[in-house]
Structure formats: C-alpha cells, structure tokens
Amino acid sequence: MLKLDSYLDRQVLAELAWLQSQKKRPMNSKKQILKREMSTFTTTRNISAEPSAIFAAIKDPNRLVKWWGPSGFSNRFEEFEFKPGGKWVFDMVGPDGTVYPNESVFEKIETGRLVVIRHVCQPHFTLSITLEPVPEGTLVHWQQLFVDASVANTVRHIVEPSNEQNLDRLTAEVIQPA
C-alpha cells in the first residue's frame, strides 16, 4: 500500500487524478508515482539566517522581486496575493530581454516554515519551499515537481542550475553585509 508521507505526496496524487480525468483512461498510479522521481528536482541549502528572515524575503514582494529567478533575470510583478489560494502573476525578463509570463497560486503557507506554489501556466509544476531550523541557521529544501516527466526531462538542463542560482540570490538577499 502506498504511504503518503507529505503534503507533496498528496499533491502528486491529486495532480495524477486530475490528469487521468482529462485523459479518460484507467489510472495506473503506482507506475505514474514511480515517474515522480524523474520529474522532481530537489535542492537544499544551508543559509546562515533564521527561518523567519528567509520567510520574510519570500513573503515581501519588494524583496522577492529582487532575488526570484536565475542569475541575470529580473521580474515585474503584476499581482502578488501572499495567502493560501492567492494569485501571483508576473513576468520574468531574461538577460536578453525575452519576457517569460508566469502565473502561480499559493497553495499552502505556514509562516516561517513552508510555502507551496503551483505554477498554473506551462510548464505545470508545484514548488515546495520548506524552511528547517538548524544550529547554523536554516536548511532550505527547494522541491520542484513537474506534472509531466517528459517536460521535466526537457527542461532539466535549465532547471537544475537555475534552482541553484535562485538559492544563491536568496542567500545574498538575506545575508546582507553589516
């Protein structure tokens, strides 16, 4: 029997059920759930700051706009409702000026501990940011689950370094020189 260990596991099952309802085929959840490893990108980082300081850099759109995305990218926020069910609509602007429209929904927020964001435009994914207090500060768990494993495989070469760069930028935002 499949054990649901986390919010993300329940989210995966919900996404799979929705996908199957769209295809009108019997669900083979065990096989599909095994594909999750192929469609999940996990990055962790120790940051020398309290979870509350990192959470503050996520919930404040004036700070988030400065560090969100890979190196060289900037952001233009149109809508930012930091609450469960709230919308986040923005453009990421690449170093070459290319505009990448984004729309997400904040699925779950636990102050100082967890933010779950569902990206509702292509490519579809759910990002869970978990903040774990450790003696050195905070262990940030950044887990990005793509709905479609083939899409995840196609963008792997972009997502893996981009997630690292995102955490580099977050670290720089919360570790300000004295």
mmCIF file of all heavy atoms in Angstrom, residues 6 8-9 12 35-46 125-130 132 139-146 152 156 159-167:
data_model
loop_
_atom_site.group_PDB
_atom_site.id
_atom_site.type_symbol
_atom_site.label_atom_id
_atom_site.label_comp_id
_atom_site.label_asym_id
_atom_site.label_seq_id
_atom_site.Cartn_x
_atom_site.Cartn_y
_atom_site.Cartn_z
ATOM 1 N N SER A 6 3.860 13.132 2.859
ATOM 2 C CA SER A 6 3.967 14.579 2.904
ATOM 3 C C SER A 6 2.845 15.231 2.120
ATOM 4 O O SER A 6 2.113 14.585 1.381
ATOM 5 C CB SER A 6 5.311 15.015 2.317
ATOM 6 O OG SER A 6 5.320 14.769 0.927
ATOM 7 N N LEU A 8 3.404 17.082 -0.336
ATOM 8 C CA LEU A 8 3.773 16.939 -1.739
ATOM 9 C C LEU A 8 3.274 15.615 -2.300
ATOM 10 O O LEU A 8 2.799 15.561 -3.429
ATOM 11 C CB LEU A 8 5.284 17.072 -1.908
ATOM 12 C CG LEU A 8 5.786 17.184 -3.331
ATOM 13 C CD1 LEU A 8 5.163 18.389 -4.028
ATOM 14 C CD2 LEU A 8 7.292 17.309 -3.359
ATOM 15 N N ASP A 9 3.345 14.516 -1.514
ATOM 16 C CA ASP A 9 2.825 13.232 -1.979
ATOM 17 C C ASP A 9 1.334 13.339 -2.276
ATOM 18 O O ASP A 9 0.850 12.839 -3.287
ATOM 19 C CB ASP A 9 3.052 12.141 -0.938
ATOM 20 C CG ASP A 9 4.504 11.736 -0.806
ATOM 21 O OD1 ASP A 9 5.254 11.889 -1.786
ATOM 22 O OD2 ASP A 9 4.892 11.269 0.281
ATOM 23 N N VAL A 12 0.864 15.235 -5.470
ATOM 24 C CA VAL A 12 1.171 14.400 -6.641
ATOM 25 C C VAL A 12 -0.045 13.569 -7.004
ATOM 26 O O VAL A 12 -0.444 13.502 -8.166
ATOM 27 C CB VAL A 12 2.384 13.479 -6.362
ATOM 28 C CG1 VAL A 12 2.515 12.419 -7.430
ATOM 29 C CG2 VAL A 12 3.654 14.293 -6.273
ATOM 30 N N LYS A 35 7.302 7.547 -11.670
ATOM 31 C CA LYS A 35 7.843 8.560 -12.575
ATOM 32 C C LYS A 35 8.139 9.872 -11.855
ATOM 33 O O LYS A 35 8.841 10.716 -12.369
ATOM 34 C CB LYS A 35 6.875 8.846 -13.727
ATOM 35 C CG LYS A 35 6.799 7.752 -14.743
ATOM 36 C CD LYS A 35 5.883 8.168 -15.875
ATOM 37 C CE LYS A 35 5.842 7.119 -16.948
ATOM 38 N NZ LYS A 35 4.987 7.551 -18.060
ATOM 39 N N ARG A 36 7.598 10.026 -10.642
ATOM 40 C CA ARG A 36 7.786 11.261 -9.885
ATOM 41 C C ARG A 36 9.265 11.588 -9.707
ATOM 42 O O ARG A 36 9.659 12.738 -9.808
ATOM 43 C CB ARG A 36 7.091 11.178 -8.539
ATOM 44 C CG ARG A 36 7.243 12.444 -7.725
ATOM 45 C CD ARG A 36 6.517 12.360 -6.451
ATOM 46 N NE ARG A 36 7.195 11.415 -5.600
ATOM 47 C CZ ARG A 36 6.944 11.286 -4.315
ATOM 48 N NH1 ARG A 36 6.029 12.005 -3.742
ATOM 49 N NH2 ARG A 36 7.603 10.419 -3.592
ATOM 50 N N GLU A 37 10.070 10.570 -9.444
ATOM 51 C CA GLU A 37 11.494 10.824 -9.271
ATOM 52 C C GLU A 37 12.100 11.431 -10.522
ATOM 53 O O GLU A 37 13.025 12.220 -10.443
ATOM 54 C CB GLU A 37 12.223 9.533 -8.889
ATOM 55 C CG GLU A 37 11.945 9.119 -7.463
ATOM 56 C CD GLU A 37 12.761 7.914 -7.040
ATOM 57 O OE1 GLU A 37 13.785 7.611 -7.682
ATOM 58 O OE2 GLU A 37 12.365 7.290 -6.051
ATOM 59 N N MET A 38 11.580 11.081 -11.688
ATOM 60 C CA MET A 38 12.098 11.623 -12.938
ATOM 61 C C MET A 38 11.605 13.044 -13.174
ATOM 62 O O MET A 38 12.138 13.736 -14.018
ATOM 63 C CB MET A 38 11.690 10.728 -14.112
ATOM 64 C CG MET A 38 12.282 9.349 -14.013
ATOM 65 S SD MET A 38 11.749 8.145 -15.278
ATOM 66 C CE MET A 38 10.781 9.044 -16.425
ATOM 67 N N SER A 39 10.588 13.452 -12.436
ATOM 68 C CA SER A 39 10.011 14.776 -12.677
ATOM 69 C C SER A 39 10.177 15.718 -11.487
ATOM 70 O O SER A 39 9.581 16.779 -11.463
ATOM 71 C CB SER A 39 8.537 14.643 -13.037
ATOM 72 O OG SER A 39 7.817 14.056 -11.990
ATOM 73 N N THR A 40 10.982 15.330 -10.509
ATOM 74 C CA THR A 40 11.184 16.136 -9.314
ATOM 75 C C THR A 40 12.634 16.604 -9.231
ATOM 76 O O THR A 40 13.552 15.814 -9.412
ATOM 77 C CB THR A 40 10.836 15.324 -8.045
ATOM 78 O OG1 THR A 40 9.491 14.879 -8.140
ATOM 79 C CG2 THR A 40 11.000 16.164 -6.798
ATOM 80 N N PHE A 41 12.799 17.881 -8.958
ATOM 81 C CA PHE A 41 14.124 18.466 -8.770
ATOM 82 C C PHE A 41 14.197 18.943 -7.328
ATOM 83 O O PHE A 41 13.349 19.719 -6.888
ATOM 84 C CB PHE A 41 14.344 19.646 -9.727
ATOM 85 C CG PHE A 41 14.208 19.245 -11.167
ATOM 86 C CD1 PHE A 41 13.015 19.425 -11.847
ATOM 87 C CD2 PHE A 41 15.272 18.669 -11.841
ATOM 88 C CE1 PHE A 41 12.882 19.047 -13.164
ATOM 89 C CE2 PHE A 41 15.151 18.289 -13.164
ATOM 90 C CZ PHE A 41 13.956 18.470 -13.828
ATOM 91 N N THR A 42 15.200 18.476 -6.605
ATOM 92 C CA THR A 42 15.349 18.833 -5.207
ATOM 93 C C THR A 42 16.708 19.478 -4.989
ATOM 94 O O THR A 42 17.734 18.937 -5.409
ATOM 95 C CB THR A 42 15.203 17.589 -4.310
ATOM 96 O OG1 THR A 42 13.927 16.992 -4.564
ATOM 97 C CG2 THR A 42 15.312 17.957 -2.840
ATOM 98 N N THR A 43 16.691 20.619 -4.347
ATOM 99 C CA THR A 43 17.907 21.342 -3.994
ATOM 100 C C THR A 43 17.798 21.711 -2.528
ATOM 101 O O THR A 43 16.720 22.084 -2.060
ATOM 102 C CB THR A 43 18.043 22.625 -4.845
ATOM 103 O OG1 THR A 43 17.957 22.275 -6.228
ATOM 104 C CG2 THR A 43 19.353 23.330 -4.590
ATOM 105 N N THR A 44 18.894 21.571 -1.799
ATOM 106 C CA THR A 44 18.902 22.011 -0.411
ATOM 107 C C THR A 44 20.069 22.961 -0.210
ATOM 108 O O THR A 44 21.073 22.899 -0.929
ATOM 109 C CB THR A 44 19.031 20.828 0.573
ATOM 110 O OG1 THR A 44 20.217 20.114 0.277
ATOM 111 C CG2 THR A 44 17.838 19.905 0.494
ATOM 112 N N ARG A 45 19.903 23.837 0.760
ATOM 113 C CA ARG A 45 20.945 24.833 1.022
ATOM 114 C C ARG A 45 20.882 25.227 2.493
ATOM 115 O O ARG A 45 19.813 25.531 3.011
ATOM 116 C CB ARG A 45 20.681 26.056 0.146
ATOM 117 C CG ARG A 45 21.570 27.252 0.332
ATOM 118 C CD ARG A 45 22.939 27.105 -0.310
ATOM 119 N NE ARG A 45 22.881 26.781 -1.717
ATOM 120 C CZ ARG A 45 22.902 27.666 -2.708
ATOM 121 N NH1 ARG A 45 22.974 28.949 -2.455
ATOM 122 N NH2 ARG A 45 22.870 27.266 -3.970
ATOM 123 N N ASN A 46 22.025 25.237 3.151
ATOM 124 C CA ASN A 46 22.142 25.817 4.491
ATOM 125 C C ASN A 46 22.381 27.308 4.330
ATOM 126 O O ASN A 46 23.303 27.708 3.616
ATOM 127 C CB ASN A 46 23.312 25.197 5.259
ATOM 128 C CG ASN A 46 22.946 23.877 5.890
ATOM 129 O OD1 ASN A 46 21.945 23.780 6.589
ATOM 130 N ND2 ASN A 46 23.743 22.858 5.641
ATOM 131 N N PHE A 125 4.003 22.878 -12.709
ATOM 132 C CA PHE A 125 4.772 22.263 -11.630
ATOM 133 C C PHE A 125 4.305 22.820 -10.295
ATOM 134 O O PHE A 125 3.592 23.829 -10.245
ATOM 135 C CB PHE A 125 6.288 22.492 -11.800
ATOM 136 C CG PHE A 125 6.725 23.931 -11.764
ATOM 137 C CD1 PHE A 125 6.955 24.587 -10.562
ATOM 138 C CD2 PHE A 125 6.912 24.634 -12.943
ATOM 139 C CE1 PHE A 125 7.372 25.914 -10.547
ATOM 140 C CE2 PHE A 125 7.322 25.964 -12.936
ATOM 141 C CZ PHE A 125 7.553 26.601 -11.733
ATOM 142 N N THR A 126 4.713 22.137 -9.230
ATOM 143 C CA THR A 126 4.472 22.607 -7.875
ATOM 144 C C THR A 126 5.828 22.757 -7.205
ATOM 145 O O THR A 126 6.655 21.844 -7.251
ATOM 146 C CB THR A 126 3.585 21.621 -7.092
ATOM 147 O OG1 THR A 126 2.323 21.517 -7.753
ATOM 148 C CG2 THR A 126 3.362 22.100 -5.662
ATOM 149 N N LEU A 127 6.050 23.903 -6.607
ATOM 150 C CA LEU A 127 7.286 24.185 -5.893
ATOM 151 C C LEU A 127 6.982 24.245 -4.402
ATOM 152 O O LEU A 127 6.104 25.001 -3.980
ATOM 153 C CB LEU A 127 7.889 25.516 -6.344
ATOM 154 C CG LEU A 127 9.097 26.013 -5.553
ATOM 155 C CD1 LEU A 127 10.291 25.069 -5.712
ATOM 156 C CD2 LEU A 127 9.468 27.423 -5.980
ATOM 157 N N SER A 128 7.692 23.425 -3.631
ATOM 158 C CA SER A 128 7.582 23.458 -2.175
ATOM 159 C C SER A 128 8.896 23.971 -1.608
ATOM 160 O O SER A 128 9.957 23.415 -1.897
ATOM 161 C CB SER A 128 7.300 22.059 -1.620
ATOM 162 O OG SER A 128 6.052 21.594 -2.077
ATOM 163 N N ILE A 129 8.797 25.031 -0.822
ATOM 164 C CA ILE A 129 9.963 25.598 -0.141
ATOM 165 C C ILE A 129 9.744 25.362 1.350
ATOM 166 O O ILE A 129 8.824 25.924 1.944
ATOM 167 C CB ILE A 129 10.110 27.104 -0.427
ATOM 168 C CG1 ILE A 129 10.155 27.371 -1.931
ATOM 169 C CG2 ILE A 129 11.354 27.650 0.266
ATOM 170 C CD1 ILE A 129 10.007 28.840 -2.303
ATOM 171 N N THR A 130 10.589 24.508 1.924
ATOM 172 C CA THR A 130 10.494 24.174 3.341
ATOM 173 C C THR A 130 11.692 24.755 4.065
ATOM 174 O O THR A 130 12.826 24.619 3.603
ATOM 175 C CB THR A 130 10.447 22.642 3.530
ATOM 176 O OG1 THR A 130 9.397 22.111 2.731
ATOM 177 C CG2 THR A 130 10.207 22.275 4.985
ATOM 178 N N GLU A 132 13.788 24.668 7.478
ATOM 179 C CA GLU A 132 14.040 23.843 8.656
ATOM 180 C C GLU A 132 15.116 24.496 9.520
ATOM 181 O O GLU A 132 16.248 24.673 9.067
ATOM 182 C CB GLU A 132 14.508 22.453 8.206
ATOM 183 C CG GLU A 132 14.829 21.508 9.316
ATOM 184 C CD GLU A 132 15.376 20.182 8.794
ATOM 185 O OE1 GLU A 132 15.135 19.828 7.634
ATOM 186 O OE2 GLU A 132 16.069 19.513 9.577
ATOM 187 N N LEU A 139 18.020 25.229 7.036
ATOM 188 C CA LEU A 139 18.190 24.336 5.898
ATOM 189 C C LEU A 139 16.975 24.551 5.007
ATOM 190 O O LEU A 139 15.837 24.307 5.417
ATOM 191 C CB LEU A 139 18.292 22.877 6.352
ATOM 192 C CG LEU A 139 18.472 21.851 5.243
ATOM 193 C CD1 LEU A 139 19.753 22.108 4.444
ATOM 194 C CD2 LEU A 139 18.469 20.441 5.822
ATOM 195 N N VAL A 140 17.219 25.054 3.802
ATOM 196 C CA VAL A 140 16.152 25.315 2.844
ATOM 197 C C VAL A 140 16.032 24.101 1.925
ATOM 198 O O VAL A 140 17.013 23.687 1.307
ATOM 199 C CB VAL A 140 16.442 26.582 2.009
ATOM 200 C CG1 VAL A 140 15.343 26.801 0.967
ATOM 201 C CG2 VAL A 140 16.593 27.797 2.912
ATOM 202 N N HIS A 141 14.819 23.536 1.873
ATOM 203 C CA HIS A 141 14.511 22.441 0.949
ATOM 204 C C HIS A 141 13.677 23.044 -0.173
ATOM 205 O O HIS A 141 12.608 23.598 0.078
ATOM 206 C CB HIS A 141 13.692 21.342 1.637
ATOM 207 C CG HIS A 141 14.380 20.687 2.781
ATOM 208 N ND1 HIS A 141 15.199 19.600 2.627
ATOM 209 C CD2 HIS A 141 14.370 20.977 4.104
ATOM 210 C CE1 HIS A 141 15.665 19.241 3.802
ATOM 211 N NE2 HIS A 141 15.178 20.061 4.722
ATOM 212 N N TRP A 142 14.164 22.941 -1.385
ATOM 213 C CA TRP A 142 13.521 23.522 -2.569
ATOM 214 C C TRP A 142 13.166 22.347 -3.462
ATOM 215 O O TRP A 142 14.047 21.739 -4.069
ATOM 216 C CB TRP A 142 14.534 24.449 -3.231
ATOM 217 C CG TRP A 142 14.096 25.252 -4.392
ATOM 218 C CD1 TRP A 142 13.960 24.838 -5.688
ATOM 219 C CD2 TRP A 142 13.793 26.640 -4.387
ATOM 220 N NE1 TRP A 142 13.590 25.884 -6.482
ATOM 221 C CE2 TRP A 142 13.483 27.008 -5.702
ATOM 222 C CE3 TRP A 142 13.768 27.621 -3.382
ATOM 223 C CZ2 TRP A 142 13.149 28.313 -6.050
ATOM 224 C CZ3 TRP A 142 13.426 28.906 -3.740
ATOM 225 C CH2 TRP A 142 13.123 29.241 -5.058
ATOM 226 N N GLN A 143 11.891 21.983 -3.512
ATOM 227 C CA GLN A 143 11.482 20.808 -4.283
ATOM 228 C C GLN A 143 10.467 21.220 -5.338
ATOM 229 O O GLN A 143 9.412 21.759 -5.028
ATOM 230 C CB GLN A 143 10.903 19.737 -3.374
ATOM 231 C CG GLN A 143 10.648 18.436 -4.102
ATOM 232 C CD GLN A 143 10.333 17.316 -3.145
ATOM 233 O OE1 GLN A 143 9.412 17.432 -2.350
ATOM 234 N NE2 GLN A 143 11.093 16.240 -3.218
ATOM 235 N N GLN A 144 10.821 20.939 -6.589
ATOM 236 C CA GLN A 144 10.005 21.336 -7.725
ATOM 237 C C GLN A 144 9.543 20.068 -8.435
ATOM 238 O O GLN A 144 10.351 19.305 -8.958
ATOM 239 C CB GLN A 144 10.850 22.210 -8.653
ATOM 240 C CG GLN A 144 10.093 22.885 -9.746
ATOM 241 C CD GLN A 144 10.992 23.851 -10.511
ATOM 242 O OE1 GLN A 144 12.208 23.863 -10.365
ATOM 243 N NE2 GLN A 144 10.374 24.666 -11.336
ATOM 244 N N LEU A 145 8.229 19.862 -8.443
ATOM 245 C CA LEU A 145 7.632 18.669 -9.034
ATOM 246 C C LEU A 145 6.866 19.047 -10.298
ATOM 247 O O LEU A 145 5.870 19.779 -10.231
ATOM 248 C CB LEU A 145 6.684 17.995 -8.038
ATOM 249 C CG LEU A 145 5.831 16.861 -8.591
ATOM 250 C CD1 LEU A 145 6.703 15.695 -9.032
ATOM 251 C CD2 LEU A 145 4.810 16.430 -7.563
ATOM 252 N N PHE A 146 7.336 18.558 -11.442
ATOM 253 C CA PHE A 146 6.658 18.804 -12.710
ATOM 254 C C PHE A 146 5.564 17.765 -12.912
ATOM 255 O O PHE A 146 5.752 16.584 -12.593
ATOM 256 C CB PHE A 146 7.657 18.746 -13.873
ATOM 257 C CG PHE A 146 8.474 19.993 -14.002
ATOM 258 C CD1 PHE A 146 9.558 20.219 -13.171
ATOM 259 C CD2 PHE A 146 8.149 20.964 -14.943
ATOM 260 C CE1 PHE A 146 10.306 21.378 -13.265
ATOM 261 C CE2 PHE A 146 8.882 22.131 -15.039
ATOM 262 C CZ PHE A 146 9.964 22.338 -14.202
ATOM 263 N N ALA A 152 9.734 17.704 -17.686
ATOM 264 C CA ALA A 152 10.815 17.828 -16.702
ATOM 265 C C ALA A 152 12.148 17.423 -17.317
ATOM 266 O O ALA A 152 13.160 18.106 -17.121
ATOM 267 C CB ALA A 152 10.512 16.974 -15.476
ATOM 268 N N ARG A 156 15.359 19.899 -17.726
ATOM 269 C CA ARG A 156 16.315 19.545 -16.658
ATOM 270 C C ARG A 156 17.589 20.381 -16.730
ATOM 271 O O ARG A 156 18.077 20.890 -15.724
ATOM 272 C CB ARG A 156 16.653 18.056 -16.734
ATOM 273 C CG ARG A 156 17.677 17.591 -15.700
ATOM 274 C CD ARG A 156 17.912 16.090 -15.781
ATOM 275 N NE ARG A 156 16.686 15.337 -15.614
ATOM 276 C CZ ARG A 156 16.118 15.042 -14.447
ATOM 277 N NH1 ARG A 156 16.690 15.452 -13.330
ATOM 278 N NH2 ARG A 156 15.010 14.347 -14.389
ATOM 279 N N VAL A 159 16.575 23.837 -15.387
ATOM 280 C CA VAL A 159 16.025 23.903 -14.030
ATOM 281 C C VAL A 159 17.086 23.643 -12.961
ATOM 282 O O VAL A 159 17.145 24.372 -11.964
ATOM 283 C CB VAL A 159 14.848 22.912 -13.882
ATOM 284 C CG1 VAL A 159 14.414 22.775 -12.430
ATOM 285 C CG2 VAL A 159 13.678 23.360 -14.743
ATOM 286 N N GLU A 160 17.912 22.636 -13.152
ATOM 287 C CA GLU A 160 18.881 22.303 -12.100
ATOM 288 C C GLU A 160 19.825 23.468 -11.782
ATOM 289 O O GLU A 160 19.921 23.877 -10.617
ATOM 290 C CB GLU A 160 19.634 21.020 -12.450
ATOM 291 C CG GLU A 160 18.731 19.810 -12.331
ATOM 292 C CD GLU A 160 19.367 18.499 -12.742
ATOM 293 O OE1 GLU A 160 20.313 18.496 -13.567
ATOM 294 O OE2 GLU A 160 18.913 17.470 -12.228
ATOM 295 N N PRO A 161 20.505 24.054 -12.765
ATOM 296 C CA PRO A 161 21.360 25.195 -12.411
ATOM 297 C C PRO A 161 20.552 26.430 -12.001
ATOM 298 O O PRO A 161 20.991 27.206 -11.141
ATOM 299 C CB PRO A 161 22.182 25.457 -13.673
ATOM 300 C CG PRO A 161 21.442 24.801 -14.780
ATOM 301 C CD PRO A 161 20.670 23.670 -14.170
ATOM 302 N N SER A 162 19.371 26.617 -12.576
ATOM 303 C CA SER A 162 18.545 27.782 -12.223
ATOM 304 C C SER A 162 18.099 27.740 -10.770
ATOM 305 O O SER A 162 18.075 28.775 -10.092
ATOM 306 C CB SER A 162 17.332 27.874 -13.143
ATOM 307 O OG SER A 162 17.736 28.143 -14.462
ATOM 308 N N ASN A 163 17.735 26.560 -10.280
ATOM 309 C CA ASN A 163 17.328 26.445 -8.880
ATOM 310 C C ASN A 163 18.494 26.766 -7.952
ATOM 311 O O ASN A 163 18.311 27.424 -6.919
ATOM 312 C CB ASN A 163 16.753 25.060 -8.593
ATOM 313 C CG ASN A 163 15.359 24.886 -9.176
ATOM 314 O OD1 ASN A 163 14.729 25.847 -9.606
ATOM 315 N ND2 ASN A 163 14.888 23.661 -9.200
ATOM 316 N N GLU A 164 19.692 26.327 -8.306
ATOM 317 C CA GLU A 164 20.881 26.671 -7.512
ATOM 318 C C GLU A 164 21.106 28.191 -7.515
ATOM 319 O O GLU A 164 21.400 28.798 -6.477
ATOM 320 C CB GLU A 164 22.124 25.961 -8.048
ATOM 321 C CG GLU A 164 22.139 24.470 -7.791
ATOM 322 C CD GLU A 164 22.343 24.087 -6.334
ATOM 323 O OE1 GLU A 164 22.796 24.931 -5.532
ATOM 324 O OE2 GLU A 164 22.036 22.936 -5.997
ATOM 325 N N GLN A 165 20.966 28.809 -8.697
ATOM 326 C CA GLN A 165 21.156 30.261 -8.810
ATOM 327 C C GLN A 165 20.086 31.011 -8.012
ATOM 328 O O GLN A 165 20.370 32.049 -7.396
ATOM 329 C CB GLN A 165 21.128 30.685 -10.279
ATOM 330 C CG GLN A 165 22.312 30.172 -11.063
ATOM 331 C CD GLN A 165 22.122 30.317 -12.558
ATOM 332 O OE1 GLN A 165 21.268 31.066 -13.031
ATOM 333 N NE2 GLN A 165 22.930 29.585 -13.324
ATOM 334 N N ASN A 166 18.865 30.495 -8.017
ATOM 335 C CA ASN A 166 17.790 31.099 -7.230
ATOM 336 C C ASN A 166 18.156 31.111 -5.753
ATOM 337 O O ASN A 166 17.986 32.123 -5.061
ATOM 338 C CB ASN A 166 16.493 30.301 -7.441
ATOM 339 C CG ASN A 166 15.283 31.165 -7.618
ATOM 340 O OD1 ASN A 166 15.218 32.282 -7.146
ATOM 341 N ND2 ASN A 166 14.302 30.630 -8.300
ATOM 342 N N LEU A 167 18.690 29.993 -5.267
ATOM 343 C CA LEU A 167 19.085 29.932 -3.861
ATOM 344 C C LEU A 167 20.315 30.794 -3.586
ATOM 345 O O LEU A 167 20.447 31.348 -2.485
ATOM 346 C CB LEU A 167 19.311 28.483 -3.439
ATOM 347 C CG LEU A 167 18.016 27.666 -3.324
ATOM 348 C CD1 LEU A 167 18.324 26.201 -3.038
ATOM 349 C CD2 LEU A 167 17.087 28.235 -2.272
#
